[in-house]
């Protein structure tokens, strides 16, 4: 049977694409080496204390845990802050990001100390990808309308924070978190990743099914694209606070530790 040049080229390209997807899936699903270090990174509208429900659960099994104080200024500066913490780790380290800090995990996750990646209701762009354009292919989540700016400094309004960011927390707890909300610089949102660590590192993703800050279907798309080990949690955007047991178990799995 003869095959013309066009058909041959098409088949060759299809095979190459299939090979790329297969390779990415294999890397993402590979069993990670056992790690004793965990580095946590927070996203917008929060600070490092947003991991306060997860940290004790990880330390209880002997893990060394550090929560990065993300400067929320520019993506390069936020990545540099995470890289400084990663450089201090003494061996295999699980890098975990919530929300916007998935950008940081994706970029900084190529660091040699990083053994696995965990995304918690987080952005997970490809290298050079315009995340904003990707997000626009899905219905806009309600929290987006609640972002307000004072010049170049952005934050979430109290109404949007309580309803769309922390909607399943007790109101008193949500108001306390609102009070310590860390403003971000508009320049931060313009950053694009140059790496996609999930292409080469074992990856895990926790989808928040009731998320009103990132569209849950977008979360599912990103998790599937990276071939991540994925769980779904019936939670708001703040699953790390409302469902710390499930999130901690996923991190322990990524660390090769018994849950």
């Amino acid at each position: 049977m003869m095959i013309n040049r066009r058909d041959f080229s098409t088949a060759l390209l299809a095979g190459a694409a299939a090979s790329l997807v297969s390779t990415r899936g294999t890397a993402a699903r590979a069993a990670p080496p056992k790690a004793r270090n965990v580095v946590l990174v927070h996203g917008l509208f929060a600070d490092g204390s947003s991991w306060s429900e997860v940290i004790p659960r990880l330390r209880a099994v002997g893990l060394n845990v550090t929560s990065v104080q993300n400067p929320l200024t520019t993506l390069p500066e936020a990545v540099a802050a995470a890289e400084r913490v990663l450089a201090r780790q003494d061996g295999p380290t699980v890098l975990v990001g919530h929300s916007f800090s998935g950008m940081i995990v994706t970029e900084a996750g190529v660091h040699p100390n990083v053994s696995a990646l965990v995304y918690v209701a987080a952005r997970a762009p490809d290298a050079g990808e315009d995340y904003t354009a990707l997000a626009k292919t899905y219905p806009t989540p309600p929290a987006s309308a609640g972002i307000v700016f004072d010049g170049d400094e952005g934050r979430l309004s109290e109404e949007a924070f309580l309803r769309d960011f922390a909607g399943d927390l007790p109101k008193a707890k949500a108001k306390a978190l609102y009070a310590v909300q860390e403003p971000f610089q508009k320049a931060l949102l313009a950053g694009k990743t140059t790496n996609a660590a999930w292409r080469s590192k074992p990856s895990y993703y926790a989808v928040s099914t009731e998320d009103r800050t990132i569209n849950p279907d977008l979360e599912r798309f990103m998790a599937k694209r990276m071939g991540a080990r994925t769980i779904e949690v019936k939670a708001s955007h703040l699953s790390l606070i409302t469902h710390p047991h499930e999130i901690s178990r996923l991190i322990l799995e990524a660390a090769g530790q018994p849950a």
Side-chain angles (χ1 to χ4, degrees), residues 153-166:
E153 188 174 85
R155 57 188 174 80
L156 203 58
S157 71
E158 183 172 3
E159 181 183 7
F161 192 101
L162 299 181
R163 181 189 62 217
D164 302 323
F165 187 68

Side-chain angles (χ1 to χ4, degrees), residues 22-135:
S22 175
T23 301
R24 183 168 67 239
T26 299
R29 293 193 179 96
K34 191 170 184 178
R36 65 174 303 273
N37 304 303
V38 177
V39 170
L40 308 166
V41 193
H42 69 86
L44 304 184
F45 323 126
D47 66 6
S49 67
S50 61
W51 293 102
S52 59
E53 297 294 331
V54 170
I55 292 170
R57 288 170 166 82
L58 301 179
R59 290 183 60 84
V61 297
L63 292 176
N64 173 45
V65 185
T66 307
S67 182
V68 177
Q69 292 293 355
N70 181 353
L72 300 178
T73 49
T74 67
L75 183 60
E77 288 173 352
V79 169
E83 288 176 335
R84 287 193 293 272
V85 175
L86 289 171
R88 295 200 299 265
Q89 307 309 303
D90 60 359
T93 302
V94 177
L95 180 60
V96 187
H98 172 242
S99 192
F100 176 86
S101 71
M103 303 278 291
I104 300 168
V105 168
T106 298
E107 182 72 11
V110 297
H111 192 283
N113 281 345
V114 175
S115 55
L117 315 170
V118 180
Y119 294 81
V120 181
R123 301 185 181 197
D126 204 346
E129 184 171 50
D130 184 338
Y131 176 84
T132 300
L134 172 64

Side-chain angles (χ1 to χ4, degrees), residues 2-258:
M2 299 293 292
I3 182 169
N4 62 41
R5 181 175 296 176
R6 178 180 295 177
D7 289 343
F8 176 77
S9 297
T10 299
L12 187 63
L13 288 172
S19 176
L20 177 61
V21 171
S22 175
T23 301
R24 183 168 67 239
T26 299
R29 293 193 179 96
K34 191 170 184 178
R36 65 174 303 273
N37 304 303
V38 177
V39 170
L40 308 166
V41 193
H42 69 86
L44 304 184
F45 323 126
D47 66 6
S49 67
S50 61
W51 293 102
S52 59
E53 297 294 331
V54 170
I55 292 170
R57 288 170 166 82
L58 301 179
R59 290 183 60 84
V61 297
L63 292 176
N64 173 45
V65 185
T66 307
S67 182
V68 177
Q69 292 293 355
N70 181 353
L72 300 178
T73 49
T74 67
L75 183 60
E77 288 173 352
V79 169
E83 288 176 335
R84 287 193 293 272
V85 175
L86 289 171
R88 295 200 299 265
Q89 307 309 303
D90 60 359
T93 302
V94 177
L95 180 60
V96 187
H98 172 242
S99 192
F100 176 86
S101 71
M103 303 278 291
I104 300 168
V105 168
T106 298
E107 182 72 11
V110 297
H111 192 283
N113 281 345
V114 175
S115 55
L117 315 170
V118 180
Y119 294 81
V120 181
R123 301 185 181 197
D126 204 346
E129 184 171 50
D130 184 338
Y131 176 84
T132 300
L134 172 64
K136 286 180 178 178
T137 63
Y138 291 82
T140 302
S144 299
I147 299 175
V148 293
F149 285 94
D150 297 317
D152 288 334
E153 188 174 85
R155 57 188 174 80
L156 203 58
S157 71
E158 183 172 3
E159 181 183 7
F161 192 101
L162 299 181
R163 181 189 62 217
D164 302 323
F165 187 68
D168 57 350
L169 269 70
K171 184 164 286 189
K173 175 69 172 176
K175 285 186 174 182
L177 292 171
Y178 172 76
V180 298
Q181 176 184 181
E182 182 75 15
F184 68 92
Q185 294 297 308
K186 189 177 291 185
L188 180 69
L189 304 181
K192 291 183 181 180
T193 56
T194 59
N195 297 311
W198 48 263
R199 287 185 173 273
S200 59
K201 302 287 178 81
S203 302
Y204 299 75
Y205 200 110
V207 172
S208 284
T209 64
E210 312 303 307
D211 205 324
R212 292 169 61 88
T213 302
I214 296 179
N215 188 298
D217 285 334
L218 174 56
E219 294 177 15
R220 293 183 180 104
F221 165 79
M222 292 184 290
K224 183 177 181 180
R225 178 173 67 171
M226 70 172 71
R229 153 82 169 105
T230 304
I231 63 170
E232 297 210 355
V233 183
K234 189 175 182 180
S236 70
H237 194 57
L238 292 181
S239 58
L240 67 170
I241 296 175
T242 61
H243 291 72
H245 179 67
E246 290 92 327
I247 301 306
S248 297
R249 286 184 62 185
L250 188 65
I251 295 170
L252 288 172
E253 183 178 345
Q257 302 277 356

